Amino acid sequence: MLLFLWIETSNEYFNFDWVTFLGTGYWFFWSIFVLSLAGILTAYSSLLLLLGFLLLWEGIELYLHLCHKILILLVILLCVILLFIICKFWKERWQVAGLSLQIFSPYVHLFSITVMVILSWPVAFYVAHLEREVRMRRYRMTHSEKKRLKKCNVITRLRGLQVAVGLPFLLILLSLYLVPLGINSPCIQEKENLGPKPTFFGHRGAPMLGPENTLMSFEKAVEHGAHGLETDIYLSYDHVPFLMHDFDLRRTTNIREVQPESAFQNPAFFSWDFLSTLNAGQWFVKPELRPFYNMKPLSEADKERARNQSIPTLADLLTLAKKERKFVIFDLRSPPPKHPLRHTFVRQVVSVILASKIEQHLIYWLPTHDMRYVRSVAPGFQHVGRFVSIETLAKKNISIINVDYKRLFPNGLRDYKAANIRINIYTINEPWLFSLAWCSRINSVTTDNIGLLSQLNHPHFFMTPRSYMFMWLLADIISVLFIITIFCFHWRRETKKEKWFEPSRNPTDTHSGLHISVKSPARVVERPWTLAALHPALPKSGKEHQGHSSFSAASKKLVPIKNAVTPLKPAKHYIQPPTPTTVFELTQAPTRQAATGEATFQTTLPTSKADKPTMPPVEVPYPE
């Protein structure tokens, strides 16, 4: 579960690494570390389970070494702790995993069907083996009431095992066959219903191609077709709006080298004269500080360009957006207490925007402070709402919302679309998540991975309902044929084993105490150890056996049998050339003492030897 959850939430890896950076002060790919750890633990546990299954298959008693016991305990504890932390602090990750199932559910269904086909092999083998065991136990069942009850109880348990193994398998299989009836994936729709491709807002520019919140990053976003540019704005102590995301300057500047004692200070407390001297791109070139694990290598020209980046002002970004006619959306950071613009920061930012002469409709105004002033001074700004009710948006005359995708998809997407509200979601980096937004007719997305997503010309995992139905039915039919074939194969195999064991089995007559070993010839009319073969030589009272004690009592009244069996000579057509055959030997000489003397009875059936001809069966009547 931990591995599945972490794989499906790869879109959140940067946020996880950033949060751990805030706590530790060092940048490291903790998300990849957790992914690798979960993969190792899963592989270790799975291999241990597989080994245990194979040992049980061979009938070998399991013995878990102390080291494995300790490791398994640590695995359980670690997974429980990590899942508890996720459930406590990152509940939204479960929503991401749920969204992934909307896209991957058709393929998860096909994978599950394939797994069930693979599992049908051991299930069929086990069920057929139990069936053969039941038949052979019934065949060996005696007429003694006590023994019969005991045998019947064993047979009942064997039948119970068959039901316990076969019934859950059958129910799960039937459920999987019906699962597509409940699948509601946005990417299963007709082609004509597919909306246009969502447009892109470069999240802090293109942070996989250049240092975030620098002019290089925004220029890279423009080169890859960004519809708009997204950023975060602080105001310096001397009233200059500049671009910065973090709560301090440690990660994206060289503040630790220039002024280490101020590394943890809020960026708004620095003057612009000092901020403009900091290097904002040298960190991006260092491999240990690169922000994304899946970044493409930079060219030497881009590395040199990144090393020379500095912190840009809001005016610099507006100049670029005006030139390229790109929309601008930003989060405005409220200045901390004791800042000179603590209560007038909105008016300062609006004045800078108006001074840039950018077209007002290119500004997506996201801040909620001092809304009345903004509407009066800059009526052309497009006001953007948060995740609020449609009634609230209508009251504020807002027709655009900017929301976290994890909050939007489970709630209200259909209502917003019905109200004709434009939707921008953030932050989308994975192609499957972008495909979900595309199939859901989302208008625009904010992304870090504009280089990859801009190359997609069609949503991933898209299919028409007719194509999915064909794939669904074809998979079900093929799997049914495979499973029936597997069950029939094992059934026939066990039936052949049963027929092979019946003539070559060493039968035991538990009632008379005589153990008889028989090598059956090719043609046998009646097996010599069955009751039907013994009936002609038994009186009526002898058909009910009473065990060894009855045999001892009856032996005192033994009537000598003379010429009961005529020795047979092998006919010519029974004589065959010597062939190597399996030798079955058993000589039991049950001895009993008579009143007049000692009489010894020895019964030996024909024994096959490699150097003797095969003889036809001989029926030997036995005394009670």
Side-chain angles (χ1 to χ4, degrees):
M1 184 63 69
L2 177 64
L3 179 63
F4 165 77
L5 180 66
W6 212 257
I7 290 176
E8 295 304 303
T9 57
S10 58
N11 192 78
E12 303 296 313
Y13 282 177
F14 176 82
N15 292 334
F16 179 79
D17 296 334
W18 182 68
V19 170
T20 54
F21 167 78
L22 294 179
T24 61
Y26 295 95
W27 184 263
F28 183 71
F29 289 131
W30 292 105
S31 56
I32 303 301
F33 173 77
V34 175
L35 178 66
S36 304
L37 180 62
I40 293 172
L41 297 183
T42 303
Y44 166 70
S45 304
S46 302
L47 290 176
L48 205 59
L49 279 175
L50 179 61
L51 179 61
F53 174 78
L54 294 176
L55 290 175
L56 288 175
W57 184 277
E58 295 297 328
I60 301 175
E61 184 178 359
L62 296 184
Y63 174 74
L64 196 62
H65 194 271
L66 180 62
C67 294
H68 288 303
K69 293 180 180 179
I70 296 174
L71 288 175
I72 287 295
L73 181 61
L74 292 177
V75 168
I76 294 173
L77 291 176
L78 184 60
C79 290
V80 169
I81 292 173
L82 290 177
L83 286 175
F84 173 78
I85 293 175
I86 292 173
C87 294
K88 185 70 175 178
F89 300 103
W90 289 291
K91 293 181 181 180
E92 295 177 342
R93 284 187 176 269
W94 293 104
Q95 297 179 3
V96 180
L99 290 177
S100 70
L101 292 179
Q102 292 189 23
I103 292 294
F104 299 117
S105 54
Y107 305 92
V108 172
H109 169 247
L110 296 180
F111 175 76
S112 302
I113 292 293
T114 305
V115 171
M116 294 301 291
V117 172
I118 296 174
L119 289 178
S120 66
W121 185 273
V123 170
F125 172 82
Y126 193 64
V127 171
H129 180 74
L130 290 175
E131 181 65 24
R132 180 172 65 86
E133 190 71 21
V134 167
R135 290 181 180 179
M136 296 188 68
R137 286 182 181 272
R138 279 182 175 175
Y139 179 78
R140 294 174 180 176
M141 193 179 296
T142 67
H143 290 277
S144 173
E145 190 67 27
K146 182 178 179 180
K147 296 288 184 181
R148 179 181 299 175
L149 290 176
K150 183 177 180 181
K151 296 288 184 180
C152 286
N153 290 337
V154 173
I155 291 175
T156 302
R157 288 196 293 270
L158 292 176
R159 290 295 189 193
L161 285 175
Q162 280 184 306
V163 174
V165 174
L167 185 60
F169 176 84
L170 181 62
L171 293 177
I172 294 174
L173 188 63
L174 291 176
S175 300
L176 288 176
Y177 286 154
L178 299 177
V179 156
L181 295 177
I183 291 178
N184 185 20
S185 175
C187 285
I188 300 179
Q189 57 177 294
E190 300 295 342
K191 292 182 179 180
E192 55 270 18
N193 295 332
L194 181 64
K197 182 179 179 179
T199 56
F200 299 103
F201 277 84
H203 189 228
R204 308 170 202 169
M208 289 189 178
L209 305 175
E212 66 180 61
N213 280 328
T214 62
L215 287 180
M216 175 184 176
S217 180
F218 291 112
E219 289 169 358
K220 288 286 187 181
V222 171
E223 291 176 8
H224 286 81
H227 176 70
L229 306 173
E230 188 275 346
T231 187
D232 307 272
I233 296 178
Y234 279 91
L235 280 88
S236 67
Y237 203 78
D238 51 354
H239 306 180
V240 178
F242 65 96
L243 312 185
M244 181 61 58
H245 171 264
D246 291 6
F247 305 119
D248 54 52
L249 304 172
R250 291 175 296 161
R251 185 174 65 91
T252 58
T253 69
N254 60 339
I255 186 68
R256 286 179 173 176
E257 300 173 3
V258 176
Q259 198 171 342
E261 66 276 6
S262 303
F264 292 90
Q265 193 171 352
N266 190 296
F269 283 118
F270 294 95
S271 66
W272 176 246
D273 292 337
F274 173 76
L275 292 172
S276 61
T277 62
L278 295 177
N279 187 296
Q282 193 171 4
W283 65 276
F284 188 78
V285 181
K286 298 178 181 179
E288 67 275 10
L289 296 179
R290 60 194 180 106
F292 299 92
Y293 72 97
N294 55 346
M295 287 172 49
K296 293 183 178 180
L298 296 176
S299 64
E300 291 300 325
D302 285 342
K303 288 182 180 180
E304 186 62 27
R305 185 181 177 188
R307 291 190 185 100
N308 297 318
Q309 293 299 306
S310 59
I311 301 175
T313 63
L314 174 60
D316 297 330
L317 176 62
L318 294 175
T319 301
L320 176 64
K322 178 182 177 181
K323 177 183 176 182
E324 301 292 342
R325 296 186 58 81
K326 301 297 181 182
F327 292 92
V328 176
I329 186 172
F330 53 85
D331 284 315
L332 182 57
R333 307 293 186 181
S334 176
K338 298 182 180 180
H339 193 280
L341 297 178
R342 171 69 173 173
H343 303 290
T344 60
F345 65 98
V346 171
R347 300 191 178 195
Q348 178 66 23
V349 171
V350 171
S351 65
V352 172
I353 296 175
L354 295 179
S356 68
K357 304 299 181 180
I358 190 174
E359 299 177 40
Q360 291 189 11
H361 76 277
L362 294 179
I363 301 298
Y364 276 19
W365 186 261
L366 191 58
T368 57
H369 302 283
D370 213 350
M371 292 284 293
R372 184 175 299 177
Y373 170 80
V374 176
R375 287 184 183 273
S376 62
V377 175
F381 287 1
Q382 299 192 61
H383 289 265
V384 180
R386 305 282 185 172
F387 188 70
V388 294
S389 65
I390 298 177
E391 292 76 12
T392 303
L393 294 176
K395 184 178 180 180
K396 295 181 178 180
N397 194 23
I398 295 176
S399 60
I400 305 173
I401 60 172
N402 180 59
V403 297
D404 188 347
Y405 73 94
K406 296 184 290 296
R407 301 183 62 189
L408 174 67
F409 278 106
N411 311 290
L413 174 61
R414 184 177 302 175
D415 297 334
Y416 285 120
K417 298 300 294 185
N420 199 26
I421 294 176
R422 291 181 57 84
I423 302 173
N424 179 76
I425 58 175
Y426 62 90
T427 304
I428 305 296
N429 294 330
E430 294 296 321
W432 71 264
L433 200 51
F434 179 72
S435 299
L436 177 65
W438 191 344
C439 296
S440 301
R441 302 181 70 88
I442 298 297
N443 302 104
S444 59
V445 299
T446 301
T447 179
D448 297 312
N449 198 7
I450 191 172
L452 175 62
L453 300 186
S454 61
Q455 298 175 3
L456 298 182
N457 297 320
H458 196 269
H460 289 180
F461 316 108
F462 179 84
M463 65 180 75
T464 62
R466 183 175 300 178
S467 300
Y468 178 57
M469 181 174 293
F470 173 77
M471 183 175 65
W472 164 31
L473 296 178
L474 182 64
D476 287 356
I477 293 173
I478 293 177
S479 64
V480 166
L481 294 177
F482 267 102
I483 291 174
I484 292 176
T485 303
I486 290 171
F487 269 85
C488 291
F489 170 77
H490 282 292
W491 207 267
R492 288 175 58 86
R493 185 180 179 186
E494 294 297 329
T495 303
K496 289 181 179 180
K497 285 184 180 179
E498 179 185 353
K499 292 180 179 180
W500 187 79
F501 274 112
E502 283 179 3
S504 60
R505 188 170 57 243
N506 291 338
T508 303
D509 190 348
T510 58
H511 313 291
S512 60
L514 298 177
H515 301 273
I516 306 167
S517 186
V518 176
K519 174 70 171 69
S520 222
R523 297 180 180 179
V524 179
V525 178
E526 189 63 47
R527 296 183 180 88
W529 56 82
T530 60
L531 292 177
L534 297 179
H535 283 177
L538 295 179
K540 290 183 178 181
S541 60
K543 293 183 181 180
E544 297 180 0
H545 302 276
Q546 302 296 332
H548 292 283
S549 59
S550 301
F551 176 79
S552 300
S555 63
K556 297 180 180 180
K557 301 179 182 181
L558 181 65
V559 179
I561 301 175
K562 297 181 179 180
N563 299 328
V565 178
T566 304
L568 299 178
K569 296 182 180 180
K572 292 182 180 181
H573 62 277
Y574 282 117
I575 300 177
Q576 300 175 358
T579 56
T581 59
T582 307
V583 179
F584 295 88
E585 289 186 353
L586 179 62
T587 303
Q588 290 283 353
T591 306
R592 55 188 177 85
Q593 301 290 337
T596 56
E598 180 175 307
T600 302
F601 294 89
Q602 180 173 349
T603 305
T604 305
L605 291 180
T607 305
S608 296
K609 299 288 185 179
D611 56 348
K612 292 185 180 181
T614 304
M615 303 272 306
V618 180
E619 299 185 3
V620 183
Y622 294 96
E624 180 182 5

